[in-house]
Amino acid sequence: MSEQSSTTTDAGTDAGALDFLNGLFKRGEVWLAAGLMTILTVLVLPIPPFIVDIGLSISITFSVIILMTVLFIGKPLDFSSFPTVLLLSTLLRLSLNLGTTRLVLTHGNEGTDAAGHVVGAFADLVMGGDFIIGVIVFAILTIVNFVVITKGSGRIAEVAARFTLDAMPGKQMAIDADLSSGLIDEDSARKRRKELEDEAGFFGSMDGAAKFVRGDAIAGLVITFINAIGGITIGAFRHDMPILQAADTYVRLTIGDGLVTQIPALLVSVAAGLLVSKTTTQGSTDQALFAQLSDYPTALGLSSALMAALAVVPGMPFLPFIILSGIAGFGAYSAGQRNLNKAALQAAADVAAAAPVPVAEDPIGRSLSIDMIRLELGYALLALINSEAGQKLTDQIKGLRRQMAGDMGFIMPSVRIQDNLQLPPNTYILRIKEIEAGRGELRPGMLLIMDPKGSPIALPGENTMEPTFGLPAMWVDATYREEALFKGYTVVDPPTVITTHLTELVKDNMSELLSYAETQKLLDEMGKDQQKLVADVIPSQVTISGLQRVLQNLLAERISIRDLPSILEGIAEASGLTRNLALISEHVRSRLARQISSANTNEMGYIPLLTLSPEWEQTFIESLTGDGDDKRLAMPPTKLHQFIQAVRQAYDKHAMMGESPILLTSPTIRPYVRSIMERFRPSTVIVSQNEIYAKAKIKTLGQV
């Protein structure tokens, strides 16, 4: 039993250790921190030669990986961590350079393997037994790296960073313009802004990271010079070596150390140059390079002919030039055939695009869809769509939708415009849910003139009735515009006539156009700080359909629903007392008292009021039947006729005085008074005492 327990314990211990190791290997940040600390330690502490060999091998491998990665990426931002990688690789090379310097100066007299086998191998391979050759090769590599590659890539990075930062405002404005015009959605705009920020940060970092490469080249040159002078001095004066032997030994080790450091630095410099020069190309380097070089077969053909001519020049080697001529000639032929195939495919695509496309039969289900708002035009009015006037009409409809959203909090459905050959040529029809809501006649190329005073118009033209409000008007030629404006007439062009008519019809039918889906959309588009309010009210206190009905009641009396949080708060308060949506709507109206009072304040700064007399108040109260929330108005027809006559007389009297008052009633009977008034005076505003803001200025004009 004890042996079994011991075995189980050992197995559990092994499994725990294995899990620990697996977790440790997955912690990339731990390994990165450990590697960085090791590099920094090498800068201070001496290391044995075999550790130097491992480090130099890692440095060379790391540099090759960086170069290959840059060759195969599609765009610079795919390697956005390059500045950090560049810093790490530079720090690794400098630490190894310092470690090899310490070994060379300390044990250089022991032979070429004093600083490790990698340094010795590079020294023997490049120098070929002569340290002067090694010095020359090292000098050439340093000049190529420092003067050509590093300087050029640094300049490209600097210019790219400057132009990228200068272009940011314009690119940001372009994104905002595409978003406002509807070409892209909010997610795409957010993604493009993020890419723009990443691009600016990347090229800004590359401008600074180029200094790492330049500093690395300078440091390598200085360290090599110090190693050579210091090594010869130590060998000659401390180890009593002859000057030539000390120079041969220490310069060999120094140049080997410099080469094994400069070659990875050269690879990284080339990678940096390739990366910053890819700013305007897409795809991997081979795709961008060979695709563009092979797009011009004429250039390849001329190059082939030139190589063939050089091959037959006396004294020139025939074989290399003739092989290159054949390769260039084959490339020119292949590119020409490829371009011909592209042209043939493009021509076939153009022919296919020009061919008449068979009209697909619409599914029967599409017959069930309903246009919320539709504008139908007679054939003589189609010029309004296919001309500058058509552009003005569509722009005005877009502006109307934006205005309705801002003023009423109501997102107006899109308007479908189509022709209707069954209409008279100059007639248009506006349909709400495919039911005719209004129509009118236009005269394209003419202007509609109206006199605000109602007097006859003293201009030659065709008398008519303005379609929106039914006012006397006249169609006149466009040449009379200046004269009509001089006489104080109202001048309207045909697109504006349609837009005005559409505006009034939409305002009259907003309650019908607010659908369940639009109500849900209004809730979804509320701010994050209001979503808790939505969650508390919907659906525990009122359903979405109930909220839709409350909003429809408000829109029916042209009350803005833009302040949706206040509306939801009012619903939350009223739902604890009643479930009657009409009574809830009345309570919400009282919460919007400030808004309602502001909307009905005239230019003089006060609200003109007509109050309902106590007698009529009592009559309405006595005419209510039913209990609780189910009360209904049951007024005798004679009393109803008398009320209508009294209202008409009072409003006609004040209309002659230039006033347009609102009717003030008690909260109890306001909905019932409204139900009667909307039959014969739908534009009259009716409010209760609870809907007059406490600080609003009022002026009582009379009594009904």
Side-chain angles (χ1 to χ4, degrees), residues 59-94:
S59 176
I60 296 173
T61 305
F62 193 25
S63 302
V64 173
I65 292 174
I66 294 172
L67 179 60
M68 293 298 105
T69 303
V70 171
L71 284 175
F72 289 102
I73 61 173
K75 55 184 179 179
L77 285 181
D78 291 342
F79 200 0
S80 59
S81 62
F82 185 81
T84 304
V85 172
L86 188 61
L87 173 61
L88 294 176
S89 65
T90 303
L91 190 59
L92 175 61
R93 285 195 303 275
L94 291 177

Side-chain angles (χ1 to χ4, degrees), residues 462-483:
E462 176 186 349
N463 290 320
T464 185
M465 297 294 291
E466 192 274 332
T468 306
F469 303 103
L471 302 175
M474 177 180 288
W475 288 105
V476 302
D477 192 83
T479 56
Y480 290 100
R481 176 189 292 271
E482 299 298 332
E483 184 178 352

Side-chain angles (χ1 to χ4, degrees), residues 225-247:
F225 178 76
I226 294 174
N227 279 355
I229 300 300
I232 294 173
T233 303
I234 292 174
F237 294 101
R238 177 172 295 180
H239 299 292
D240 298 325
M241 298 173 64
I243 293 295
L244 291 179
Q245 182 183 355

Side-chain angles (χ1 to χ4, degrees), residues 206-235:
M206 282 300 300
D207 185 22
K211 305 301 186 294
F212 295 151
V213 181
R214 185 178 180 88
D216 184 21
I218 297 174
L221 183 61
V222 173
I223 291 173
T224 302
F225 178 76
I226 294 174
N227 279 355
I229 300 300
I232 294 173
T233 303
I234 292 174

Side-chain angles (χ1 to χ4, degrees), residues 577-597:
L577 303 175
T578 179
R579 291 292 178 178
N580 188 301
L581 294 178
L583 296 180
I584 292 177
S585 301
E586 292 300 310
H587 181 78
V588 170
R589 287 175 61 94
S590 66
R591 285 294 302 264
L592 301 177
R594 186 167 178 266
Q595 172 186 315
I596 295 174
S597 299

Side-chain angles (χ1 to χ4, degrees), residues 608-631:
L609 297 176
L610 273 181
T611 61
L612 198 61
S613 65
E615 292 80 8
W616 280 116
E617 289 272 356
Q618 186 64 30
T619 300
F620 270 92
I621 292 175
E622 293 175 351
S623 300
L624 295 178
T625 60
D627 297 327
D629 295 342
D630 296 329
K631 292 182 179 179

